Structures are given as structure tokens and as C-alpha cells.
Amino acid sequence: MAGFVDQAQLHARAGDGGAGAVSWRREAHVDRGGPDGGDGGHGGDVWLVASVNQSSLLGFRDHPFRRATDGGHGSGQKKHGARGKDIIVPVPVGTVVRDAEGAVQCDLSGDGDRFLIAEGGQGGRGNARFLSNRRRAPAFAEQGEKGQERWLDMELKLMADVALVGFPNAGKSTLISTVSAAKPKIADYPFTTLVPHLGVVRVGGTRDGTEFVMADIPGLVEGAAAGKGLGDRFLRHIERARVLVVLLDLDPVAVHTPADQLRILLGELGDYQAELLERPRLIVGSKQDLSPETRVSGSDAEGDAQADPDSADPAAPESGPVECDLLLSAATGAGVQTLVDRLAVLVQEVRAAAAVEATGAIVIHRPVPEGVDVQRLSPGAWRVVGRVAERAVAFSDLNDVGALDEAVKRLRRLGVDRALARAGVRDGDEVTVGSMTFIWGDG
């Protein structure tokens, strides 16, 4: 997986809304034609869409900017401006989006899941929309609203059926290259794998067989859950795996004994996320050709071993024998097919259980609508913030009496006067809402 990137930033800029027009009907033989200014078009939105065709956030590393187009301006004869075009931004399934403060905005965990990351500005209404019995000649229109602009952090948590967990140089890369078409870098030293690798494994025929995705997670070390050796980044990719394979290095010259490896690995999984210890798992002894005396749990024969997720005790002693669910040697091929067959059964069982709970519907995420907030800038100075409040005063000419009257009515309907009173505003204080600044006082 060359060029794999699992963390990136995104700058999303939605389109601005078009301005409404101030126009008057002017035709021959039409006396005193009324207002006919059209509305501005809405700005385009920016959507994130989870896609199985994306496998990395590499495309955002050097080019994080995504922008939708602006809406067109209105014109005379009640012609409305064109709506800005939305932009669809594909991201890998399993992408988690956070705002600048670190709060999770959405988790795109299913193919087709969508998130409205930046909403386009509303188009301004033309002066024809403000015609009424009391206002026969409105000489004002609304300005277009600015589109949302946001910086967000994205991180990818791989969606794999099986995750290979083990110490560096335990044989994970060799195994995944043996059972799939994945071609990770393989060498006889720790931390050869610096990024996860995915491989598709097929068991059985084309029509009646089973396919599952196996992930080669970079080797964990003691203290990984606390961030040692980039372990916290590696552990993130284990969260969504349906089945875990804990690979123990049986090489007699390995730094840790198999029992120590099992104790440390399960301890790190539990420290990172306790739920991981409840996942279906197989304890597999790797490099059997280097340690032929190691036995599988409950049997002398490898093929008779029964998968028991609870056969390994997380609090195993630091030294001593450890029983495995099965043994294999990727170098000689011994035990590899047995492992693949048993994983296929486990994956099918977990998938069936998940299908019962899943609705299968595509999830559409939208940000929570903003309210109105009052901020104190300094003694005697206040600002009202919020898209709805700023939209209420977005007129082309606030010096126009009709426009000012409409803005005041809108602010009252939003409860801005009550919010200011609760915040402690006093007569003579200066209040700013969008582009409008006024002096607070009775009436």
C-alpha cells in the first residue's frame, strides 16, 4: 500500500449565495411597474462520501482544499440566479472527522455514508419578495449568505475482517503475502512494516466461496497503548476488525518468549480498548519450523485444534509454556490453509451476527444547526453571532427604512432582544449583528 496516509487535514469551503436583485418592471404601456428583482442562487455544499474505492487519505496530504461553486445573482424580470454546484469528496470507508477542537463530527463507517461538511450560503431574496400591501415599492434586497468554511482533521480506521496482531518481525507480512496478493516489504529486522497492508483472501470457489480482508498491522511493542513506537496510531486500525489473529513468534532467539508476547499483546489491546479482548480471536504460533516441539491447545494434531477465544489468559505468567489454537510456518506453508479455513468460518459467523443488527441504510450526517449567541466584547460592547442572526440583517442597504424595519422584526422573532437582555446589555451599549451596529435602548 504505497503512499498510505491515515491522517490528514481538510479545508472545506462551501459556495456563497448569490445576491438578490433590486429591479423594477419597465415596459411600454405598463404604468408604474412594480418590483421584479429575482432571488440569488444558493451556494454549493461540500459533502464527504465514504467509498470502498478509496483506500487512503493520500489525496489530502498535499492538497487539502475542497471548494464548491458560488450561487448566481438574481436579475430583473424575476430571474433567479443559478444554484452553485455541490462538490462530492470521496474518502475511505472508516474515516472519522473531527473539528478543530477535537470533537467528532461524524464516523463514515459504511459505504455510501455522507456528511455535509460545509453548507452553502443561502441566496438573497430580490425586492419582488418584499412587496406587500403596506410596502408597495421595496427598494432593497437581501445579500447572499457566505458559505461555511472549516478546517477539519480526518483519520482513517481500516475496515478489515481480520487483523494480524503481533510483535515486530513475528511473520505477519510473510503470512499476508502468502495468503493474498498483498506485497508488503519483508526483511529480517523489526519495524519493516511502517504502514498497514490489506490483502483479500479467498476460500473456496468463485460462486460458493468466502472472501475476507486481512490487515497486516505494524508490529506492536510494550507500551503501544500509551503511544510507544507509534503504537496508538497502529492500534487505531484494529478497532474495526471483526476477528483478531494474535501471532506469536516461536523463534527460540526471539526477544520475548511466546508466553510473554501473549501477555504483553493482550495487555496492550485491553489498555487501548477493553472491548477488543471480547472479539473472536485465534492464538497462532508462527515460525513453527524453528520450534517444532511447541504444541497446539488440546491436541497433538494441528488440524484437530479447536478455536477458543478464551484459551489465552491475559494475565498469563511472564515465562513458561503457552498453548496456541494452531501452529503454522509461512516459510514452508505448514498450517497456513488450516488458518485460512478457520478464519473464513469465524468471519462468516461474525458477519451473520452483524447483518441481523444492521439496517443496511445509508447514513447521512448533518451538522447540528447553529443557534444565536451573545458575546461581550468589552464593557458597553456586544456582538450577536449565529448564522440565522447574521442572515436576518443581510440586506443590500440598511440605510433604507424598509430594510431596517424588516431586520428589526426578524431579530425580534429570533429572540435576540431577549437574549441581549438576559446577557446584561444596558441602555447606550453598542450591539453588532453581522454588518449592522446599533445603540441599545428602550424600544
Side-chain angles (χ1 to χ4, degrees):
M1 194 177 295
F4 179 84
V5 173
D6 57 4
Q7 289 183 315
Q9 284 192 312
L10 171 67
H11 180 269
R13 174 75 162 84
D16 297 337
V22 177
S23 178
W24 307 94
R25 185 180 179 190
R26 291 291 182 263
E27 298 178 25
H29 313 296
V30 177
D31 184 35
R32 296 182 181 182
D36 70 349
D39 300 344
H42 287 211
D45 301 327
V46 181
W47 288 87
L48 288 182
V49 179
S51 171
V52 293
N53 295 322
Q54 301 292 317
S55 59
S56 170
L57 298 174
L58 177 64
F60 300 92
R61 184 178 61 184
D62 299 322
H63 182 64
F65 303 98
R66 302 292 188 274
R67 177 168 183 172
T69 59
D70 298 337
H73 299 313
S75 58
Q77 300 180 358
K78 297 183 180 179
K79 293 181 180 179
H80 298 334
R83 179 186 175 89
K85 292 183 179 180
D86 295 349
I87 181 172
I88 305 298
V89 183
V91 297
V93 175
T95 298
V96 178
V97 181
R98 290 183 169 83
D99 62 18
E101 287 72 39
V104 174
Q105 300 296 294
C106 71
D107 184 347
L108 304 178
S109 58
D111 184 34
D113 287 358
R114 299 164 64 92
F115 173 43
L116 179 58
I117 193 172
E119 184 178 1
Q122 289 191 1
R125 290 180 288 184
N127 66 335
R129 298 286 294 273
F130 298 100
L131 177 65
S132 66
N133 290 331
R134 294 182 56 191
R135 188 186 295 129
R136 304 305 301 170
F140 60 90
E142 285 181 330
Q143 296 280 43
E145 182 187 23
K146 292 289 187 182
Q148 288 184 320
E149 184 174 5
R150 310 178 68 188
W151 274 103
L152 297 111
D153 295 318
M154 299 188 298
E155 69 174 23
L156 172 60
K157 298 179 180 180
L158 291 178
M159 304 289 288
D161 296 299
V162 177
L164 301 179
V165 182
F167 272 75
N169 206 34
K172 300 183 300 299
S173 298
T174 303
L175 176 59
I176 196 172
S177 66
T178 301
V179 300
S180 74
K183 301 300 179 185
K185 180 180 179 181
I186 300 172
D188 190 19
Y189 54 86
F191 292 110
T192 299
T193 304
L194 297 179
V195 298
H197 290 275
L198 293 179
V200 177
V201 183
R202 166 166 286 280
V203 181
T206 303
R207 294 185 177 181
D208 57 352
T210 300
E211 271 191 359
F212 60 87
V213 177
M214 179 180 288
D216 166 20
I217 307 301
L220 302 181
V221 295
E222 191 167 11
K228 184 177 179 180
L230 298 179
D232 52 343
R233 290 186 55 185
F234 299 156
L235 283 163
R236 179 173 70 246
H237 297 298
I238 303 175
E239 289 185 33
R240 302 184 191 274
R242 303 175 190 269
V243 177
L244 303 181
V245 173
V246 181
L247 209 60
L248 306 180
D249 187 354
L250 303 182
D251 190 338
V253 299
V255 176
H256 298 285
T257 66
D260 284 341
Q261 294 177 48
L262 182 61
R263 175 184 57 81
I264 294 171
L265 291 171
L266 294 183
E268 294 301 327
L269 291 176
D271 289 344
Y272 180 74
Q273 191 177 97
E275 188 270 336
L276 291 175
L277 296 178
E278 301 174 5
R279 299 276 174 90
R281 67 173 182 258
L282 291 176
I283 308 300
V284 179
S286 175
K287 305 180 184 178
Q288 180 196 14
D289 53 309
L290 301 180
S291 182
E293 69 279 3
T294 307
R295 302 163 66 90
V296 297
S297 58
S299 175
D300 293 336
E302 172 190 289
D304 295 333
Q306 299 296 316
D308 181 7
D310 299 320
S311 62
D313 182 4
E318 295 188 1
S319 61
V322 60
E323 292 186 340
C324 301
D325 293 311
L326 58 89
L327 306 176
L328 62 81
S329 171
T332 66
V336 173
Q337 189 59 48
T338 302
L339 172 63
V340 170
D341 292 340
R342 293 177 62 172
L343 287 176
V345 173
L346 283 176
V347 169
Q348 285 179 324
E349 292 175 351
V350 177
R351 284 177 178 173
V356 174
E357 302 177 1
T359 62
I362 292 175
V363 179
I364 299 179
H365 303 265
R366 293 179 182 270
V368 177
E370 297 180 11
V372 175
D373 186 33
V374 176
Q375 299 177 351
R376 184 173 183 176
L377 303 179
S378 62
W382 306 79
R383 177 180 291 279
V384 179
V385 296
R387 293 186 72 186
V388 289
E390 295 170 4
R391 189 181 300 151
V393 300
F395 288 97
S396 57
D397 184 10
L398 280 172
N399 291 318
D400 183 275
V401 175
L404 185 60
D405 180 60
E406 181 70 20
V408 171
K409 288 181 180 178
R410 291 181 176 184
L411 291 175
R412 283 177 175 164
R413 284 198 296 266
L414 292 173
V416 172
D417 52 346
R418 296 190 298 273
L420 285 167
R422 287 195 299 269
V425 66
R426 299 181 179 181
D427 290 351
D429 286 357
E430 183 180 88
V431 178
T432 299
V433 186
S435 60
M436 183 175 75
T437 301
F438 60 92
I439 302 300
W440 178 266
D442 291 338

